[in-house]
Amino acid sequence: AVAVRRKIHANPELGLDLPETAATVLDSLQGIELEIARSEKSSGFLATLRGARPGPAILLRADMDALALQEDTDLEFKSRIENRMHACGHDAHTAMLTQAVRLLDRHRDELSGSVVFMFQPGEEGNFGAKVMMDEGLLDGVPDLAAAFAIHINPQYPPGTVTSRPGSIMAAADIFQVKLKGKGGHASMPHDAVDPIPVACEIVQALQTLVTRRIDAFDPVVLTVTVIEGGSTTNVIPESARMLGTLRSTSETARERAQEGIRRVATQVAAAHEVEAEVVVVNGYPVTVNDAEFSGFARKVTTDLLGEDAFIDMPSPLMGAEDFSVVLQKLPGCMVLLGVRPAGEGPSAPVHSNRMLLNEDGMQAGIALHAAIALRYLE
């Protein structure tokens, strides 16, 4: 697993096209009797391991893509490609699943059913799971009954697993507001219609929307991340543009916040005689763990790693996952695996240019993948 992880880490690929990463995975699976179903629109594929007896199928998933980020670590196997880095642990996810295939192959005689290993690209915003599902790859698996995935967590120690039933990760949507006023001389704003202060007022109004129109026990995070407009000090620009992200952990809050963004932006702008065009683009939906399967995963984890290994999450994370679309189709769950590096002090989080992980933690992940499948197919 360490060798596979390091090879992938040193050669990160982005998006849906990951030829080298997919080849590394397939090479690591040589000699195992598997049925391979490839995606035509991406580098993703399914590898199915048939058990000794008929029965249902369970899906185990790993994502393979990296981030567009310059790595700033001292690792001997650091990224060889500028502005690409495995800063979210997908290299470890993939390496763990390749070795879970080998481990389960040694237990093939104990399986009453099949294990489907989903190696998917494009998790970082490219809807890789949805691409594969839209091609019908999962529809082609008979008796597919459940799904399971592991995501690493560099904040928790190796050998620990965190999760929760229900919402575990947020929906992630993006919004854009285009404002059109009337340009003019900066010394004579009364002869122009300035979109800049309107953009600033909309930012503040959106924060008030969150605190006054959204249920505090069904929260959202709404962040304006870009305001663009203007070209120099003595010109009032005709237009300005705003971009931002919306995170929510229920469809109710998501819909309420989206409607609020449209209403607030257009009406604040109208109050100042500025035109506003608002576009909201749905990203990944809320990742929702099935309650029954979550209880099953908790029991398997504690049996495997000890009673203290499982840590209940008090609330969802506001990050997003495209495993959410798999869990819309199948009951299952995602868990977070501790891989905190050795040493004192806080560790860098995922998506940091300095993110590190403790490779010893992959042992628990490999074993947990295999244990989940074995127990489910008993």
Side-chain angles (χ1 to χ4, degrees), residues 149-217:
I150 294 174
H151 198 298
I152 59 94
N153 185 343
Q155 264 76 52
Y156 280 81
T160 60
V161 172
T162 60
S163 193
R164 69 192 307 272
S167 300
I168 184 172
M169 289 195 183
D173 305 324
I174 60 174
F175 61 90
Q176 175 178 268
V177 181
K178 292 182 178 180
L179 300 171
K180 184 177 180 181
K182 186 171 73 171
H185 199 292
S187 68
M188 295 176 279
H190 55 282
D191 290 332
V193 179
D194 192 347
I196 299 295
V198 176
C200 296
E201 187 171 329
I202 289 172
V203 173
Q204 297 302 315
L206 289 176
Q207 302 313 306
T208 303
L209 166 75
V210 170
T211 60
R212 286 293 174 267
R213 301 297 297 160
I214 304 296
D215 186 344
F217 295 98

Side-chain angles (χ1 to χ4, degrees), residues 21 24 32 80 134 148 203 225-226 247 257 280:
T21 305
T24 297
I32 304 175
R80 299 172 183 167
D134 287 348
F148 178 73
V203 173
T225 55
V226 175
R247 305 298 172 111
V280 182

Side-chain angles (χ1 to χ4, degrees), residues 173-177 206 222-225 242-246 261 278-281:
D173 305 324
I174 60 174
F175 61 90
Q176 175 178 268
V177 181
L206 289 176
L222 195 164
T223 305
V224 177
T225 55
M242 303 164 57
L243 295 172
T245 183
L246 170 67
I261 290 169
V278 182
V279 177
V280 182
V281 179

Side-chain angles (χ1 to χ4, degrees), residues 50-122:
R50 302 285 181 193
R53 294 169 299 280
I58 183 171
L59 181 145
L60 306 179
R61 173 271 205 170
D63 38 11
M64 302 188 293
D65 57 319
L67 284 158
L69 183 68
Q70 183 64 39
E71 182 165 359
D72 191 8
T73 71
D74 296 325
L75 297 173
E76 294 180 4
F77 52 91
K78 69 183 294 184
S79 173
R80 299 172 183 167
I81 305 173
E82 188 174 357
N83 292 323
R84 293 186 187 181
M85 178 188 177
H86 272 287
C88 199
H90 296 187
D91 51 345
H93 300 169
T94 302
M96 288 189 295
L97 198 60
T98 63
Q99 300 313 301
V101 178
R102 291 200 163 275
L103 182 52
L104 282 164
D105 182 49
R106 299 203 294 272
H107 292 269
R108 191 186 290 258
D109 291 344
E110 302 170 41
L111 296 175
S112 297
S114 303
V115 185
V116 180
F117 302 91
M118 181 180 185
F119 292 94
Q120 69 142 99

